[in-house]
Amino acid sequence: MAGHSKWANIQHRKGRQDAARSKLFSKLSKEITVAAKMGDPDPDKNPRLRLAVKEAKSNSVPKDVIDRAIKKSVAGEGDDYEEIRYEGYGPNGVAVIVETMTDNRNRTASTVRSTFSKNGGNLGETGSVGFMFERKGEVVYPATVGDADIVFEAAIEAGAEDVESSDEGHIIWCADTDLNEVSNALETALGETESTKLVWKPTTTTELGLEDMQKLMKLVDALEDDDDVQRVTTNFEASDEVMAQL
């Protein structure tokens, strides 16, 4: 999924900005608190928490912030959060999935709907675009970890389904239910991952030109700016020429 990979890279660069970093830390901390509350506060005994902590570390969240987020769960914070997924369409019919974590369902629904309408999109019913994605485990390694053959062999041995290798790095895909097991096996073979998380992987994509791509980025930025929004995924596809102009 070239578009999916490119969008991940856009998010990665965006996350390097200070303003975005602060908001990202907050979202990752919330996920840690809720994951710890739903299971055991020990990451070794709670796969979801382990993945949340790993993702936080890969984004340079300080250890004291991670520890504080786990302690919040023990103190009873995070009780009222519920996870709600919204689906809709962006510019030129691009599918958009918005994952939220909120303590006020009405507020979040109103904000998400308003953000879509203000930025040329339309909020749909649950399931309206979900069929264009698959829930998958995604493990990312930098290109320096080894060549495509080495990574592919390690990935298959670990139980992964597929590997996409490029000059930018390696993206390893697995079944969503296998992510914890696959990532553990990969770390034994290849070392620390760059990123390990559950994602919505597009099965079909929509090609965008520069103007629609700019509109889409504006919509996604506005959605991500909402504190209740944890992650936004789209199924855009764009040429290298378009990407270079962004």
Side-chain angles (χ1 to χ4, degrees):
M1 282 299 131
H4 182 72
S5 302
K6 288 172 184 170
W7 183 250
N9 290 336
I10 291 171
Q11 289 178 313
H12 185 66
R13 289 197 297 271
K14 186 170 176 285
R16 289 286 177 250
Q17 300 169 1
D18 290 341
R21 178 179 289 275
S22 175
K23 193 169 285 288
L24 179 64
F25 280 15
S26 175
K27 293 176 189 287
L28 292 170
S29 295
K30 187 191 289 187
E31 166 62 20
I32 289 171
T33 299
V34 171
K37 190 68 187 177
M38 291 175 65
D40 194 291
D42 181 354
D44 290 334
K45 300 175 183 176
N46 183 338
R48 176 171 172 174
L49 176 58
R50 181 182 176 277
L51 292 174
V53 169
K54 176 178 287 294
E55 187 63 16
K57 286 180 177 178
S58 73
N59 282 280
S60 305
V61 177
K63 186 178 184 298
D64 64 311
V65 174
I66 293 172
D67 291 342
R68 196 157 58 241
I70 293 175
K71 286 175 182 174
K72 280 184 179 181
S73 73
V74 179
E77 294 187 38
D79 285 2
D80 300 329
Y81 287 123
E82 60 177 323
E83 296 172 279
I84 306 173
R85 187 176 79 246
Y86 297 93
E87 301 179 19
Y89 292 93
N92 200 33
V94 169
V96 182
I97 291 180
V98 184
E99 295 172 87
T100 70
M101 199 174 281
T102 180
D103 56 1
N104 188 324
R105 176 188 285 257
N106 291 336
R107 177 193 66 218
T108 305
S110 175
T111 302
V112 171
R113 179 174 286 104
S114 173
T115 303
F116 266 93
S117 62
K118 287 178 181 176
N119 292 277
N122 291 290
L123 184 63
E125 298 294 324
T126 301
S128 59
V129 304
F131 66 93
M132 292 187 252
F133 298 82
E134 289 179 316
R135 192 66 163 160
K136 291 291 182 184
E138 179 195 76
V139 182
V140 179
Y141 275 97
T144 52
V145 77
D147 63 28
D149 290 340
I150 289 174
V151 174
F152 184 80
E153 186 175 331
I156 298 305
E157 184 70 25
E161 296 176 343
D162 195 15
V163 182
E164 294 175 18
S165 294
S166 69
D167 292 340
E168 296 176 354
H170 309 277
I171 301 176
I172 300 164
W173 300 103
C174 66
D176 56 344
T177 52
D178 295 342
L179 180 57
N180 191 52
E181 186 178 322
V182 169
S183 63
N184 285 342
L186 283 168
E187 286 189 4
T188 300
L190 300 174
E192 191 76 16
T193 67
E194 192 171 271
S195 174
T196 303
K197 58 189 174 185
L198 288 169
V199 300
W200 291 101
K201 184 183 181 185
T203 54
T204 60
T205 57
T206 298
E207 180 79 23
L208 293 184
L210 179 60
E211 185 177 343
D212 283 334
M213 192 65 211
Q214 290 171 331
K215 290 177 182 176
L216 177 63
M217 289 183 67
K218 186 179 177 184
L219 168 61
V220 172
D221 284 346
L223 286 166
E224 288 185 335
D225 208 39
D226 184 350
D227 290 337
D228 293 337
V229 173
Q230 290 294 101
R231 185 175 294 132
V232 180
T233 307
T234 74
N235 73 334
F236 86 90
E237 187 73 48
S239 67
D240 291 336
E241 290 74 23
V242 167
M243 298 300 292
Q245 295 180 66
L246 293 174

